[in-house]
Amino acid sequence: MTNVHTFKSNNYLQKNPFNVYSKFIKSKQKLYQLSHQTLSELEGENGVIHRFSLICKKSEIRYASLLKAICHEDMDAQTILRGDRRSGYNIYLINQTKQMIYHLYDDRGCDIIAASKRNLHAIYENYNHWLLDYN
């Protein structure tokens, strides 16, 4: 799922809705299953959120390329929303089976959210040295 935060006057995503995912989905046919909603932004009258979601399997996406692109985005690489520098975005990888959400916000870190502590236990065990002290 991707939330793109932009202005109502910005029609870049209306013209090119597949640009968010096209480089990261292996099958172009899968792109036709992309769901798109436009939501009102809570901050101000001019803001909107374009919410894109795509139900797919891990094997259907180029997730390594996607994660690398997210990490490089703040280094002016602009690989996710190329051509639309006015918008910001958040990409969430949701594992419905494990009931976990992975949100890599940039090259500094990520958030991992789970429906139960049990699902996070292996991450805490294996990557404890990566966690911030307050986590």
Side-chain angles (χ1 to χ4, degrees), residues 1-110:
M1 183 181 79
T2 302
N3 287 338
V4 179
H5 305 268
T6 192
F7 300 98
K8 287 181 184 178
S9 61
N10 184 351
N11 60 6
Y12 176 80
L13 290 172
Q14 297 293 349
K15 292 179 182 177
N16 305 300
F18 294 146
N19 279 355
V20 176
Y21 287 96
S22 62
K23 295 176 291 292
F24 308 108
I25 301 300
K26 292 179 181 178
S27 165
K28 298 303 176 196
Q29 288 299 107
K30 190 73 177 173
L31 284 174
Y32 294 110
Q33 297 174 16
L34 184 68
S35 171
H36 176 225
Q37 296 175 285
T38 304
L39 310 168
S40 295
E41 179 77 76
L42 295 176
E43 300 173 14
E45 298 176 20
N46 294 324
V48 295
I49 298 171
H50 292 277
R51 177 168 290 162
F52 296 93
S53 59
L54 181 66
I55 296 173
C56 60
K57 296 179 180 178
K58 180 179 158 183
S59 61
E60 296 175 311
I61 62 174
R62 293 182 180 95
Y63 63 89
S65 297
L66 176 60
L67 297 176
K68 186 183 281 188
I70 294 168
C71 287
H72 290 156
E73 197 74 10
D74 64 342
M75 296 177 208
D76 205 31
Q78 276 279 308
T79 56
I80 304 283
L81 293 174
R82 194 175 333 155
D84 185 15
R85 295 192 178 274
R86 299 187 317 158
S87 300
Y89 65 86
N90 294 302
I91 296 176
Y92 303 93
L93 301 174
I94 302 169
N95 184 322
Q96 292 179 329
T97 305
K98 294 182 180 180
Q99 296 184 309
M100 296 178 74
I101 300 171
Y102 178 83
H103 173 232
L104 177 65
Y105 44 85
D106 60 26
D107 60 333
R108 295 172 293 168
C110 67

